[in-house]
Amino acid sequence: MKFNTSLLHGKSTKSYADHSTLPPIAQVSAFGYESAQEQEKVFQHKAFGYAYTRIGNPTLTAFEQRISDIEHATGGVACSSGMAAVTISLLNVLTTGDEIITTSNLYGGTLDLFKDLEKFGIKTNFVSELNPEQLDKYFNEKTKVIFGEVVSNPALQVLDIETVARYAHERSIPLIVDATTVTPYVIRPIDHGADIVVHSSSKYINGSGNSISGIILDGGRFKWDFEKFPALADFKRYGNMAYLVRLKTDLWENFGSCLAPFNAYLNVIGLETMGLRVEQINKNAKALAKALSEIDGVKVSHLSLEDHPYYELCQKQLGGYGGGILTFRVGSKEKAYKTLNALKYVTIASNIGDVRTLAIHPRSTLYIKSSDEEAAAAGVYDDTIRVSVGIEDSEDLIEDFRQAIKQSQN
Ligand SMILES: *Cc1c(COP(=O)(O)O)cnc(C)c1O
């Protein structure tokens, strides 16, 4: 079965109650039982069933299974947001005194999270690119996780998953990746060696910008050393499944990270058209990047442009899919604001992965908490505009940006 067929007819798309073609929405807090004995069995995991939505819900299970299959994972946990997913994917294996290695060009929210974790005694070391040479500078016995974005938002740095996974595994630590910007249509990080995959499913998976959510997927292959990872020691009997079992029955449940059932349902609907959307978005972004790069005084960054530093790796690892995010610089903050304000179709909004094209001035919004150095490391300057390309006709998009930039230059 090829990708788009599997989204609709894969093994986890069937067997809903009453032959429903989509998973029914169990919009409830609790599940009622005929007898106390029956409920006891469910609580002791001796019988299959649901008790309380924070601990499990069939609509969430449906979404988790569908995306697990698509990502070639052994299981997944659906969260209330992408940030909830990033947070507990890390805390599931970390304790005070542990260290993380990551890059300085991550999504702004994740950079903020690493500052929060410092107050809990978890230190993050930042490199400009995840490669063996730079990792060697910080790797030590306290390093427990390497974290990276497959394509960083908005710096568009591509992670060499195979190389970094090999480096991590040789040192008995997992590679956790945020694959939000690429989607499983472009790459399944688990097939390339990543151990844990996180998505902000608010973005390309949902696709219509109608609900916030996240998902954590476990490849199920990492061999946990329970002395090195005391956080997982109580789950030793689950072997390779220890991460997923602890996540599901411990952190996810106790942190109250569950997704609303209705939002899980909306994500399943979104998932079914993901292939079509991502294909169109990639085509549009490539056409727009080329058109913008031909305008005097405009500097464009997109992975489809041959002058991009990660062009080769994008061709090799991502099949040439440059993705839906591009940034361009117009010379000054004033011109950036003028451009944004002159756009006719394009909406000024802070989301990505929507069907509609969105644009934002990231320095004054998403990176407002960052210093100039931190923002620059993430590829964000005073005159940068970030675009999340949608599924409109590319001719209309190109025309809209052309006229807006022209107005800003007057
Ligand atoms: C949006 C985003 C997040 C955070 O997700 P939310 O659903 O907004 O909490 C994390 N990582 C990346 C790469 C994102 O784009």
Side-chain angles (χ1 to χ4, degrees):
M1 218 188 282
K2 294 175 93 172
F3 191 86
N4 285 325
T5 311
S6 74
L7 289 175
L8 297 162
H9 304 291
K11 69 178 187 303
S12 57
T13 63
K14 306 285 183 255
S15 76
Y16 300 131
D18 304 319
H19 306 285
S20 300
T21 53
L22 283 163
I25 309 167
Q27 188 66 32
V28 296
S29 306
F31 298 80
Y33 284 86
E34 295 291 318
S35 73
Q37 285 87 339
E38 215 184 310
Q39 193 179 39
E40 180 186 342
K41 277 189 203 151
V42 170
F43 263 79
Q44 293 186 348
H45 302 293
K46 284 181 182 152
F48 181 77
Y50 295 94
Y52 189 61
T53 286
R54 177 165 51 72
I55 305 172
N57 176 291
T59 317
L60 268 65
T61 305
F63 171 52
E64 289 164 351
Q65 285 177 344
R66 287 180 77 149
I67 193 147
S68 290
D69 286 353
I70 291 159
E71 280 284 20
H72 296 171
T74 54
V77 176
C79 300
S80 51
S81 68
M83 283 317 302
V86 172
T87 304
I88 62 172
S89 76
L90 291 162
L91 291 182
N92 200 41
V93 292
L94 296 173
T95 53
T96 302
D98 288 346
E99 294 186 10
I100 303 165
I101 306 180
T102 190
T103 60
S104 42
N105 55 43
L106 299 171
Y107 174 72
T110 306
L111 287 174
D112 281 351
L113 170 71
F114 288 130
K115 285 185 196 159
D116 296 333
L117 294 183
E118 230 165 79
K119 312 220 163 51
F120 294 93
I122 295 165
K123 187 179 167 202
T124 305
N125 297 297
F126 295 97
V127 295
S128 59
E129 183 189 77
L130 288 170
N131 60 44
E133 205 173 75
Q134 294 209 35
L135 284 161
D136 274 345
K137 283 192 211 155
Y138 291 102
F139 181 84
N140 66 70
E141 78 283 358
K142 291 189 210 150
T143 310
K144 300 294 173 69
V145 165
I146 298 175
F147 180 89
E149 288 174 4
V150 180
V151 171
S152 63
N153 167 15
L156 306 183
Q157 188 178 77
V158 183
L159 174 68
D160 184 340
I161 302 173
E162 277 163 34
T163 303
V164 179
R166 199 177 316 118
Y167 182 96
H169 297 161
E170 281 166 6
R171 288 155 186 81
S172 304
I173 62 168
L175 170 64
I176 303 184
V177 300
D178 179 335
T180 301
T181 55
V182 282
T183 82
Y185 180 72
V186 171
I187 189 172
R188 290 163 161 128
I190 289 167
D191 290 351
H192 294 258
D195 301 294
I196 309 294
V197 176
V198 182
H199 284 277
S200 166
S201 37
S202 323
K203 314 288 171 56
Y204 295 94
I205 290 170
N206 173 283
S208 292
N210 61 42
S211 47
I212 299 292
S213 68
I215 182 117
I216 304 165
L217 300 149
D218 183 356
R221 283 198 301 258
F222 189 74
K223 300 214 176 356
W224 299 100
D225 170 345
F226 295 98
E227 274 170 37
K228 196 178 175 77
F229 293 94
L232 291 175
D234 289 347
F235 296 82
K236 197 172 171 175
R237 66 182 180 283
Y238 296 103
N240 287 3
M241 297 296 286
Y243 179 94
L244 193 62
V245 177
R246 182 186 186 219
L247 186 67
K248 178 96 191 172
T249 63
D250 200 5
L251 257 75
W252 180 75
E253 191 176 308
N254 297 335
F255 278 42
S257 313
C258 69
L259 179 60
F262 188 70
N263 291 353
Y265 169 78
L266 292 173
N267 284 349
V268 172
I269 296 179
L271 196 54
E272 295 186 334
T273 58
M274 185 177 64
L276 297 179
R277 285 184 283 105
V278 172
E279 188 66 36
Q280 173 77 0
I281 284 170
N282 271 277
K283 271 194 202 137
N284 278 354
K286 189 175 176 179
L288 181 62
K290 185 169 178 289
L292 292 179
S293 67
E294 286 159 2
I295 302 174
D296 272 348
V298 175
K299 242 168 79 183
V300 188
S301 166
H302 188 249
L303 287 167
S304 66
L305 298 173
E306 281 178 37
D307 66 353
H308 195 283
Y310 289 91
Y311 175 81
E312 292 299 331
L313 189 52
C314 172
Q315 293 296 316
K316 184 170 155 252
Q317 189 180 251
L318 305 174
Y321 279 93
I325 300 174
L326 64 86
T327 61
F328 64 96
R329 298 181 64 180
V330 287
S332 71
K333 180 177 174 179
E334 197 199 342
K335 282 185 183 160
Y337 272 38
K338 271 192 180 166
T339 304
L340 284 169
N341 295 345
L343 289 164
K344 286 180 188 155
Y345 302 132
V346 179
T347 312
I348 304 175
S350 72
N351 196 11
I352 59 166
D354 199 324
V355 280
R356 31 216 120 246
T357 299
L358 311 174
I360 193 165
H361 182 253
R363 184 70 190 97
S364 63
T365 54
L366 308 168
Y367 287 83
I368 192 124
K369 291 187 198 163
S370 308
S371 67
D372 282 344
E373 294 74 42
E374 286 166 340
V380 172
Y381 304 91
D382 238 11
D383 64 337
T384 303
I385 291 175
R386 184 194 73 182
V387 183
S388 169
V389 178
I391 63 169
E392 299 94 337
D393 293 301
S394 61
E395 295 84 352
D396 289 330
L397 286 178
I398 291 168
E399 184 43 40
D400 199 13
F401 278 103
R402 267 202 193 123
Q403 65 82 24
I405 292 167
K406 197 169 177 194
Q407 284 196 47
S408 80
Q409 288 173 338
N410 285 337

